[in-house]
């Protein structure tokens, strides 16, 4: 269950690596600014109504920078200090290096749950290390990209946010071509999504439009979108009379959404 806490009540774990400072990516900052914090910060209660962050401190930082006073949290009051240390060390062990390094780390950890192709393995790993199922699933999908694109991510030339939309392109040559376009034109993660959409739809336009007319949503609408997004663990939006849930084409993410809505297979 997702709750909300004031950002001042949260603090980094004393078990974190020395010198570690959570640095949210540009794409995460943009997403939080536009839609509010979505992915819950995993915490455990400590003394004096304070909470130790076990995982996803980046969302906590991004929310503060975007001017939000609260963040969605998953409170783990069943975790003792020793278990918390193990979770924090496992979590930060997977965040060193590039996004590809992190994805490979997740892939290695999945071996303990039957492997990457074992049904339900991603969900079990998510619970074990305090990450959300969608986060791990999105990370693993980067490993399906061509080696050339993965190398660009490892070198830091292409960010994970810019690369993630490329997964939805079926043709590997087009994935490489799109990656080069993103780098050459210095496209943002949002513009990269538009570029990928154009390619999927077979459009001849290679560059997304820089501006478009968008009806500004009310504060109540954005607040509702944030609340639903936090509950289901995926981006939710209201567009032109439609309710849209972005599950990024991943069955693991979709299964997690369905389970959060209360459905369990018998």
């Amino acid at each position: 269950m997702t709750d909300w806490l004031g950002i001042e009540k949260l603090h980094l774990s004393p078990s974190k690596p020395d010198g570690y400072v959570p640095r949210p990516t540009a794409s995460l900052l943009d997403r939080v600014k536009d839609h509010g914090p979505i992915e819950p910060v995993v915490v455990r209660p400590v003394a004096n109504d304070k909470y130790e962050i076990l995982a996803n401190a980046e969302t906590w930082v991004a929310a503060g920078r975007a001017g939000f006073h609260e963040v969605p949290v998953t409170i783990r009051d069943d975790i003792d200090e020793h278990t918390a240390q193990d979770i924090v060390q496992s979590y930060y062990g997977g965040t060193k290096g590039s996004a590809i390094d992190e994805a490979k780390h997740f892939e290695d950890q999945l071996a303990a749950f039957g492997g990457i192709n074992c049904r339900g393995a991603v969900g079990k790993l998510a619970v074990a290390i305090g990450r959300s199922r969608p986060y791990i699933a999105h990370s693993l999908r980067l490993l399906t990209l061509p080696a050339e694109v993965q190398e660009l991510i490892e070198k830091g030339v292409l960010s994970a946010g810019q690369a993630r939309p490329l997964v939805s392109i079926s043709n590997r040559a087009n994935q490489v071509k799109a990656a080069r376009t993103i780098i050459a034109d210095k496209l943002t993660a949002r513009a990269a999504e538009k570029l990928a959409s154009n390619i999927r739809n077979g459009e001849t336009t290679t560059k997304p439009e820089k501006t478009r007319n968008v009806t500004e949503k009310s504060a109540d609408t954005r607040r509702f979108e944030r609340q639903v997004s936090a509950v289901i663990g995926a981006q939710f939006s209201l567009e032109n009379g439609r309710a849209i849930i972005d599950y990024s084409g991943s069955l693991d993410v979709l299964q997690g959404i369905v389970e959060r809505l209360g459905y369990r297979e018998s």
Side-chain angles (χ1 to χ4, degrees):
M1 180 178 178
T2 301
D3 296 296
W4 290 78
L5 288 174
I7 59 175
E8 76 282 353
K9 292 187 176 183
L10 278 58
H11 64 77
L12 294 174
S13 171
S15 300
K16 68 178 179 60
D18 292 338
Y20 170 78
V21 177
R23 294 184 175 87
T25 63
S27 61
L28 174 59
L29 288 169
D30 288 341
R31 191 163 65 250
V32 170
K33 182 178 179 181
D34 290 343
H35 303 286
I38 295 174
E39 185 177 327
V41 182
V42 182
V43 301
R44 76 179 188 99
V46 290
N48 301 319
D49 197 29
K50 298 293 184 180
Y51 294 81
E52 174 188 356
I53 297 176
L54 303 180
N56 198 24
E58 294 80 8
T59 291
W60 173 60
V61 173
R65 291 185 184 178
F68 291 93
H69 301 293
E70 293 184 327
V71 290
V73 296
T74 298
I75 301 176
R76 298 295 303 272
D77 52 12
D78 59 323
I79 292 178
D80 59 25
E81 184 175 358
H82 293 296
T83 304
Q85 290 177 353
D86 291 339
I87 291 175
V88 170
Q89 290 169 6
S90 176
Y91 173 82
Y92 289 114
T95 57
K96 296 176 182 178
S98 70
I100 295 297
D101 292 328
E102 181 182 45
K104 290 178 178 178
H105 181 74
F106 287 149
E107 187 176 40
D108 291 340
Q109 289 180 308
L110 282 170
F113 303 97
I116 191 171
N117 295 319
C118 180
R119 185 174 183 180
V122 172
K124 293 176 182 177
L125 175 61
V127 172
I129 67 174
R131 276 292 199 182
S132 73
R133 183 202 302 260
Y135 183 93
I136 297 174
H138 288 321
S139 178
L140 290 169
R141 295 183 78 202
L142 294 177
L143 299 180
T144 67
L145 292 170
E148 181 177 337
V149 178
Q150 291 189 38
E151 185 177 351
L152 293 172
I153 299 172
E154 288 182 301
K155 291 180 177 179
V157 180
L158 189 70
S159 73
Q162 292 170 313
R164 198 169 292 118
L166 304 182
V167 176
S168 64
I169 301 173
S170 58
N171 184 286
R172 296 179 74 78
N174 284 342
Q175 288 177 324
V176 174
K177 185 183 298 184
R180 293 172 179 169
T181 299
I182 291 170
I183 295 170
D185 294 343
K186 299 180 180 179
L187 300 183
T188 64
R190 186 176 301 172
E193 291 176 0
K194 179 62 176 177
L195 173 64
S197 176
N198 288 346
I199 294 174
R200 289 197 308 271
N201 294 331
E203 298 178 5
T204 56
T205 302
T206 57
K207 296 182 182 179
E209 297 178 3
K210 293 185 177 180
T211 59
R212 59 176 180 171
N213 294 324
V214 178
T215 302
E216 187 67 24
K217 296 179 181 178
S218 69
D220 287 339
T221 298
R222 289 190 176 278
R223 186 180 304 109
F224 180 75
E225 289 177 336
R226 292 196 298 270
Q227 291 172 340
V228 175
S229 296
V231 169
I232 66 176
Q235 186 170 314
F236 171 87
S237 61
L238 297 173
E239 305 288 347
N240 300 321
R242 295 181 299 165
I244 301 173
I245 297 176
D246 180 11
Y247 73 100
S248 301
S250 168
L251 290 180
D252 275 312
V253 174
L254 186 58
Q255 183 180 352
I257 294 172
V258 172
E259 289 179 357
R260 282 172 177 260
L261 293 175
Y263 175 79
R264 294 289 189 279
E265 291 187 11
S266 57

